[in-house]
Amino acid sequence: MPKTDSLQGSLDLLVLKILSRRPGLHGYAIMSTIKDWSGDVLRAEEGSLYPALHRMEEAGWIRAKWITKETGRRARIYELTTEGKRQFDAEESRWQAVTSAVNRVLRTV
Amino acid sequence: MSLWSRIANVLRGDRLSREIDEELQSHLEEAIEQGRDPGEARKAFGPALRLREESRDFRLIPWLDSLRADAIFGWRQLMKNKVASAAAILSLALGIGACTSAFRLIDALLLRPLPVAGPGELYALARKAIGPDGKPQIFDGFAYPDFHLMRDGVKDQAELIAISYSDRTDVTYGSGAEMEKAYRQYVSGQMFNTLGLRPAVGRVFADSDDLEPGAHPLAVLSYDYWSSRFGRDPKVIGRSVRIDNALYQIIGVGPERFTGIEPGTMIDIFIPTMMHPGALRADWTWMRTLARVKPGVALEPLRAKLDAISGAFERDRAKGFRGWPKERLEEFLKQRLFLAPAAAGISDLQNDYRTSLLALAVLVALVLLIACANVAKLMAAQASARAREMALRISIGAGRTRLVQLVLMESAWLAFLAAALGACFAWWAAPFVVGMINPPGNPVRLYLPADWRVLAFGLLLTIGVMLLFGLAPALRASAVNPVSALKGAQDHSRRRSMHALIGVQAAFCFLVLFVSGLFVATFERLSNHPTGFSPERVLTLETGTVSPQPPAVWDQVADRLRSVPGVETVGLASSVLLGGGSWNNFISVNGAPPNGVLAYLLQASPGWTEAMKIPLLGGRDFRRGDVYPSVAIVNQTFAKVYFNGDSPVGKYFEVAFPNGQHPRFEIVGLVGDVAYLDIRGPMLPQAYFPFSSIDDHGALLPISQGTFIVRTSGANPLELANVLRRAVPAARSEFRVSNIGTQLEIDQSHTVRERLLARLAFFFGVVAVLLAAIGLYGVLDYTVVQRRREIGIRMAIGAQAADIARRVTAEIFLMVLAGALAGLALGSFSARYIEALLYQVRPSDPAMLALPALTIVVAALLAALPPVIRAVRIDPATTLRDQ
């Protein structure tokens, strides 16, 4: 099982979100994007990211293909499947529900 | 899709690993390109191997992947020791194949439900009684009027159907066409409906097709016969077939797979019971009765009701019996009807071969167990050699279950490769064995499908075998203690368990040899049992006529046959000796009441005793002009039983026929005893009458059936078969030969079962000894290798070769001895179950016990020789230097 880190529970959501906006990213780019878009707050560990990607791929949410970049190196890029889009919507609304509930608790004086 | 891709990924595991590695590598390179420190980037990844394993496990099925890895490893282990593996696979294959064949036969004959609706509700009616010969008998034959009463009496509880014994008869399609043989069975009109059988073409019988005697000349073909004889031509419906001088119209074809209810016989033509000549006869038991019991009906009250009806019928009928001694009649009427489950059908073959097949199945199972013990020893020896490897695996964290799996995989390879080979063997062997049950004119035809029943049995057997020889070594290997194993400690319990296996093998081997010996001796004694006549060079020509012919015409045909070159003598008889036919009755001498011993009767022409080479001991042979009923020839037993052994020539006796007639005969000749019904058992009292008969007014009766007995001068009488077959109709066009064979074949048909048992048991006896000897050799060899160092030291300090040999073999020979003794006990215990299959052989006969013991001792000595020679040739200097 992947080890726990700060992104436990939300890594899938972040990856799905990023791939829904920017299909065709490879693992390193996904990692960088998480860092950039979160304003350097969130960081995905390599040790968690790749097992997560492969797990989501196996679950059929994302699919991967090999491309050859202009540098001549091969890279494995990912994009969302239809099922992945559905999964993203579900995960997002669940996230919203959970965060607003947590916020409500925190706002209670 | 996902599951499929994961299974696919298991099969391309290496490529998967490479892909994952490449992706991670490309990530690292990207990171370095982006200006990250290579060391730091690599460190951020953590252990690459763990990451790969983690990702791999998502993308394939981990347990399947480990199984694959173990399978490859197991295969390599097998390949390391090709000879031992091949020997293991071959011996297991023989065992598995033989067991599967035995199952196929037992299943086809005894277990497989008939392809009818609700076979579990079917019961066969039969009666236990003391027969006219004074012995307890089981009759499953019924007379039709009896059946009729029973059917009407229980129609609310069960549906009764009548099904005749099948017979192989002559049929002709169209005028002028050749006669051919077909299996015929008379069945109740409602049989097809009651059994839920639908026609494949045309229609099957209905109740209305079986009402009036002789009024329904209709025939239904079996699907199998329709396919093989007519190539599934639907135009056959409406055609006629001539059987017994009557024309039957073919109205339909039965359902596929239904070939009657007799496993071992495939019926070709079904005919309504009302067409049987004995349909109204109360004294003719020509059919079996099947009951389909309605749901919820209790069996015992039903049985009692049927018993009462049938018993009353028999008592009523017995009032008309004449000539039966009183006590015999009373015993006969004490008969008791019973119901036997008939889901798998009902046939004589079942009764004849039930015990034999089970005995053979036990033999082959024992051979398989002996083979398993060999493989278990092989696995144990290998596991012992791999104790260090196992210890190492455990030390670096392999789970016990994973180790069990690892070792079991190797066993699985052996078992499944053997099963594949064994399947090929069983494919061939089961029909081969059925082919050996082929009495002349009546070969067994048994439906032997290879369907899920056989497959499931084979699979279960294979898995069972695998666990039997693989589980113990696997558990033992996984339970290895890493510390002591890595230090090089010896495992003594392993040697003990190997020795125990030797004992078990010796016991089973003894049992197999003992039983084989009994079967072989039985066959030997039975085939050498005198029959009183000479069957060599004798042809039997069963002959029929289109219309009954006067005796003089039969004599003309016989004369014509005598003129054929190569023919020595020709006789004519109403049937052949040992041919299965039987005509018997009680005899009365000087008007006294019959003494309760049945005499067996036969009609024969002049020259018949000469053709059969039956010695004439007194009086004369029949002459032309002798007619039935006037004179008779009797045998020695007849003279002993009815005339106290005095010479009977010139004396008179009467035959007490049940219809009240008491014809009187003058004995004109005395001949030697011959076997009439059976090769086994004591000689029966016999009386022969002239082939020609006269009626009450003294007129000669025309004859429509007889058998020419032709003694030829050539060594192979069958060379004349075709000439004689043509000579008969050439002599008189009304005559047809319906069956031609040799008397030798007929004699041998009485030992078919014994020959089969003897041959197969002998074969498996040889295999058992061979396997046990190989196993013994293997263990001894292993022991010598293990104890090389000890032997070296002993020799260095002056031990003699004999002493070494004794030390190496003593313990193992003791095990062989103990095993053989256990086998002896097992053999004496189990012999009672096969006693019915034996003839003039007693299981307690010392010779029967000595032979297997001797064989085992010789085999053990031969097997021990090479390892012992190796042991005494050990050179202490080299051995001690090596270690």
Side-chain angles (χ1 to χ4, degrees):
Chain A
M1 279 292 107
K3 66 172 183 185
T4 46
D5 60 36
S6 60
L7 287 175
Q8 176 68 24
S10 55
L11 180 60
D12 289 7
L13 179 60
L14 294 182
V15 171
L16 290 172
K17 167 73 185 177
I18 288 167
L19 288 178
S20 75
R21 291 279 162 255
R22 304 267 288 277
L25 293 184
H26 50 70
Y28 186 82
I30 293 172
M31 201 177 81
S32 313
T33 313
I34 291 175
K35 195 172 146 214
D36 291 350
W37 288 10
S38 68
D40 269 358
V41 174
L42 297 179
R43 234 186 93 76
E45 303 280 345
E46 286 91 336
S48 314
L49 177 66
Y50 281 97
L53 281 173
H54 293 147
R55 179 166 43 75
M56 287 195 276
E57 185 189 351
E58 203 41 53
W61 302 345
I62 59 179
R63 64 173 154 255
K65 66 176 180 217
W66 286 97
I67 55 153
T68 311
K69 298 203 295 188
E70 53 275 34
T71 55
R73 265 210 309 277
R74 291 208 324 145
R76 200 158 190 261
I77 60 165
Y78 294 90
E79 61 184 20
L80 238 53
T81 62
T82 332
E83 201 185 327
K85 288 199 184 85
R86 264 202 304 278
Q87 183 66 25
F88 170 56
D89 292 341
E91 294 251 331
E92 191 181 15
S93 52
R94 194 177 57 84
W95 178 262
Q96 299 293 5
V98 170
T99 46
S100 67
V102 171
N103 283 337
R104 256 203 310 280
V105 172
L106 292 179
R107 274 200 301 270
T108 309
V109 195
Chain B
M1 187 61 208
S2 165
L3 179 70
W4 178 242
S5 76
R6 288 170 87 170
I7 291 172
N9 280 341
V10 167
L11 297 176
R12 47 187 197 100
D14 288 345
R15 201 173 131 202
L16 190 64
S17 296
R18 268 206 313 280
E19 266 193 13
I20 294 169
D21 286 349
E22 191 181 353
E23 187 176 12
L24 300 183
Q25 190 60 36
S26 103
H27 177 102
L28 272 179
E29 282 166 8
E30 189 82 25
I32 293 160
E33 212 169 84
Q34 300 287 324
R36 279 177 72 180
D37 175 60
E40 187 265 333
R42 209 162 276 132
K43 218 169 127 194
F45 250 117
L49 197 63
R50 207 202 68 190
L51 209 56
R52 184 222 278 179
E53 288 293 315
E54 242 170 50
S55 280
R56 255 176 82 95
D57 286 356
F58 284 128
R59 291 170 65 174
L60 42 68
I61 303 165
W63 62 264
L64 195 62
D65 190 47
S66 73
L67 215 56
R68 182 195 62 97
D70 291 347
I72 291 174
F73 186 78
W75 175 254
R76 288 190 190 134
Q77 288 290 331
L78 288 193
M79 285 294 121
K80 263 191 199 164
N81 200 344
K82 286 201 185 73
V83 178
S85 304
I89 289 171
L90 274 180
S91 54
L92 283 178
L94 190 63
I96 291 177
C99 281
T100 310
S101 309
F103 174 79
R104 277 183 83 184
L105 293 172
I106 290 173
D107 180 51
L109 187 61
L110 304 172
L111 304 178
R112 185 176 290 271
L114 292 171
V116 302
E121 299 157 14
L122 288 179
Y123 291 85
L125 273 58
R127 292 172 289 182
K128 279 192 194 105
I130 307 290
D133 56 357
K135 289 179 192 140
Q137 281 179 348
I138 288 179
F139 306 95
D140 62 358
F142 288 86
Y144 195 88
D146 189 10
F147 161 79
H148 198 85
L149 290 172
M150 290 192 292
R151 184 180 66 183
D152 291 349
V154 299
K155 63 173 179 285
D156 296 331
Q157 291 102 50
E159 287 175 81
L160 259 52
I161 44 183
I163 298 179
S164 77
Y165 298 109
S166 60
D167 64 340
R168 199 156 174 262
T169 187
D170 297 312
V171 301
T172 333
Y173 294 94
S175 58
E178 289 271 317
M179 260 189 194
E180 50 194 287
K181 292 278 180 189
Y183 286 88
R184 165 184 59 179
Q185 190 163 57
Y186 294 91
V187 298
S188 284
Q190 75 271 31
M191 180 195 78
F192 286 96
N193 277 331
T194 305
L195 298 182
L197 300 166
R198 306 264 158 271
V201 190
R203 68 177 186 94
V204 289
F205 301 137
D207 291 9
S208 55
D209 292 321
D210 195 25
L211 297 175
E212 300 285 322
H216 312 282
L218 305 172
V220 168
L221 306 183
S222 77
Y223 192 93
D224 182 69
Y225 183 61
W226 181 52
S227 307
S228 58
R229 173 64 179 77
F230 296 102
R232 295 192 199 150
D233 179 6
K235 288 204 283 290
V236 77
I237 310 299
R239 276 181 66 180
S240 301
V241 53
R242 177 176 286 278
I243 311 172
D244 291 345
N245 296 321
L247 277 176
Y248 292 82
Q249 193 196 6
I250 299 170
I251 58 166
V253 175
E256 204 173 341
R257 286 195 56 211
F258 182 75
T259 53
I261 55 138
E262 291 182 38
T265 306
M266 294 191 184
I267 303 299
D268 299 323
I269 302 175
F270 298 97
I271 289 189
T273 46
M274 276 300 130
M275 298 306 292
H276 192 278
L280 294 182
R281 295 272 296 266
D283 59 345
W284 194 342
T285 54
W286 52 271
M287 38 159 268
R288 293 193 174 100
T289 301
L290 276 192
R292 164 170 229 128
V293 179
K294 294 194 171 155
V297 172
L299 279 185
E300 177 48 34
L302 175 65
R303 186 207 69 77
K305 202 166 176 184
L306 288 167
D307 193 26
I309 298 171
S310 176
F313 174 84
E314 288 294 340
R315 271 191 301 281
D316 197 35
R317 187 167 77 91
K319 284 178 194 151
F321 281 9
R322 296 201 186 100
W324 273 54
K326 197 162 171 281
E327 59 276 27
R328 281 268 178 282
L329 197 59
E330 275 167 11
E331 280 171 343
F332 177 72
L333 289 176
K334 274 188 208 145
Q335 58 180 259
R336 183 186 149 87
L337 186 142
F338 64 95
L339 294 169
I346 172 165
S347 70
D348 294 339
L349 193 71
Q350 287 178 334
N351 298 330
D352 288 349
Y353 282 87
R354 184 175 283 118
T355 324
S356 318
L357 281 181
L358 292 178
L360 279 177
V362 171
L363 285 192
V364 294
L366 288 175
V367 170
L368 178 60
L369 287 176
I370 292 174
C372 278
N374 271 357
V375 181
K377 284 184 282 184
L378 179 73
M379 301 296 291
Q382 282 179 355
S384 143
R386 281 163 63 187
R388 275 161 176 269
E389 175 203 324
M390 291 297 163
L392 203 61
R393 282 173 186 271
I394 289 177
S395 315
I396 60 173
R400 304 267 182 199
T401 40
R402 188 63 206 277
L403 283 188
V404 171
Q405 180 184 315
L406 182 78
V407 181
L408 265 186
M409 249 350 254
E410 205 179 321
S411 308
W413 271 116
L414 286 175
F416 279 89
L417 284 174
L421 261 181
C424 301
F425 180 72
W427 188 270
W428 165 82
F432 173 75
V433 171
V434 171
M436 283 169 80
I437 311 174
N438 55 351
N442 191 18
V444 165
R445 294 197 297 169
L446 193 58
Y447 180 56
L448 278 173
D451 60 359
W452 66 267
R453 291 171 71 97
V454 179
L455 273 178
F457 175 84
L459 197 66
L460 283 179
L461 183 69
T462 308
I463 292 172
V465 159
M466 178 188 91
L467 292 179
L468 202 56
F469 67 70
L471 198 57
L475 289 177
R476 193 181 281 264
S478 74
V480 71
N481 178 353
V483 181
S484 67
L486 286 174
K487 272 197 219 145
Q490 290 274 342
D491 189 352
H492 288 289
S493 68
R494 177 161 289 140
R495 199 190 291 167
R496 272 200 300 280
S497 64
M498 273 200 190
H499 289 179
L501 282 178
I502 285 280
V504 170
Q505 282 185 311
F508 288 172
C509 191
F510 185 94
L511 190 55
V512 173
L513 285 176
F514 173 63
V515 173
S516 309
L518 292 177
F519 285 155
V520 171
T522 292
F523 177 58
E524 188 78 11
R525 303 212 171 142
L526 209 48
S527 13
N528 292 332
H529 192 68
T531 54
F533 60 84
S534 157
E536 279 87 21
R537 299 191 282 121
V538 170
L539 276 177
T540 59
L541 282 72
E542 279 175 50
T543 306
T545 58
V546 177
S547 55
Q549 298 294 314
V553 179
W554 282 85
D555 285 340
Q556 279 176 26
V557 176
D559 286 339
R560 175 66 174 266
L561 292 180
R562 284 188 188 100
S563 70
V564 172
V567 170
E568 266 180 15
T569 51
V570 175
L572 188 51
S574 52
S575 61
V576 293
L577 290 174
L578 295 173
S582 154
W583 177 28
N584 54 39
N585 239 302
F586 292 109
I587 299 294
S588 142
V589 178
N590 296 330
N595 66 357
V597 183
L598 282 173
Y600 288 77
L601 316 172
L602 187 83
Q603 283 183 288
S605 73
W608 174 76
T609 50
E610 193 197 338
M612 294 298 289
K613 290 213 171 150
I614 302 170
L616 185 66
L617 302 174
R620 63 166 176 90
D621 190 9
F622 291 131
R623 287 194 287 255
R624 277 199 187 178
D626 284 343
V627 289
Y628 172 91
S630 65
V631 292
I633 295 175
V634 300
N635 71 351
Q636 282 173 296
T637 305
F638 189 97
K640 211 178 296 164
V641 168
Y642 302 106
F643 294 97
N644 298 319
D646 299 342
S647 171
V649 178
K651 293 181 177 154
Y652 291 85
F653 69 89
E654 290 171 4
V655 179
F657 285 113
N659 60 7
Q661 287 183 350
H662 284 210
R664 187 158 179 260
F665 297 88
E666 184 198 350
I667 299 173
V668 294
L670 173 70
V671 292
D673 283 339
V674 294
Y676 181 102
L677 266 185
D678 194 353
I679 287 186
R680 303 165 175 244
M683 292 293 184
L684 301 165
Q686 290 162 43
Y688 312 111
F689 306 127
F691 188 69
S692 313
S693 309
I694 49 169
D695 63 12
D696 298 343
H697 312 290
L700 279 168
L701 289 168
I703 302 161
S704 63
Q705 273 193 337
T707 301
F708 291 103
I709 311 289
V710 180
R711 180 169 290 276
T712 64
S713 50
N716 180 10
L718 281 172
E719 280 170 5
L720 274 182
N722 277 330
V723 178
L724 293 173
R725 185 192 285 278
R726 280 193 302 270
V728 169
R732 292 293 295 216
S733 59
E734 301 89 349
F735 283 68
R736 300 266 185 286
V737 176
S738 63
N739 207 359
I740 197 161
T742 66
Q743 183 69 42
L744 201 60
E745 278 174 353
I746 294 172
D747 284 20
Q748 282 169 352
S749 74
H750 289 262
T751 52
V752 162
R753 184 178 73 186
E754 286 70 24
R755 182 184 300 118
L756 180 82
L757 280 175
R759 281 193 190 166
L760 293 182
F762 180 76
F763 173 71
F764 285 110
V766 171
V767 172
V769 175
L770 214 61
L771 288 181
I774 291 173
L776 188 65
Y777 164 81
V779 170
L780 274 172
D781 199 51
Y782 174 76
T783 312
V784 169
V785 171
Q786 291 280 303
R787 295 171 69 177
R788 205 168 47 221
R789 188 168 164 195
E790 177 206 324
I791 296 170
I793 294 173
R794 283 183 190 281
M795 294 188 87
I797 59 173
Q800 295 299 305
D803 183 42
I804 298 291
R806 194 175 51 74
R807 274 184 186 282
V808 173
T809 54
E811 207 178 328
I812 286 172
F813 273 11
L814 219 60
M815 285 316 296
V816 172
L817 202 68
L821 280 176
L824 196 141
L826 270 176
S828 323
F829 171 76
S830 51
R832 74 181 72 167
Y833 295 105
I834 53 164
E835 220 145 29
L837 299 174
L838 304 180
Y839 179 74
Q840 287 188 355
V841 178
R842 280 186 317 119
S844 55
D845 188 348
M848 288 287 109
L849 294 168
L851 199 69
L854 202 68
T855 314
I856 287 182
V857 168
V858 171
L861 286 177
L862 285 178
L865 211 54
V868 167
I869 290 176
R870 217 164 119 181
V872 300
R873 278 202 186 148
I874 283 177
D875 176 11
T878 20
T879 316
L880 295 176
R881 207 180 303 126
D882 280 352
Q883 300 261 327

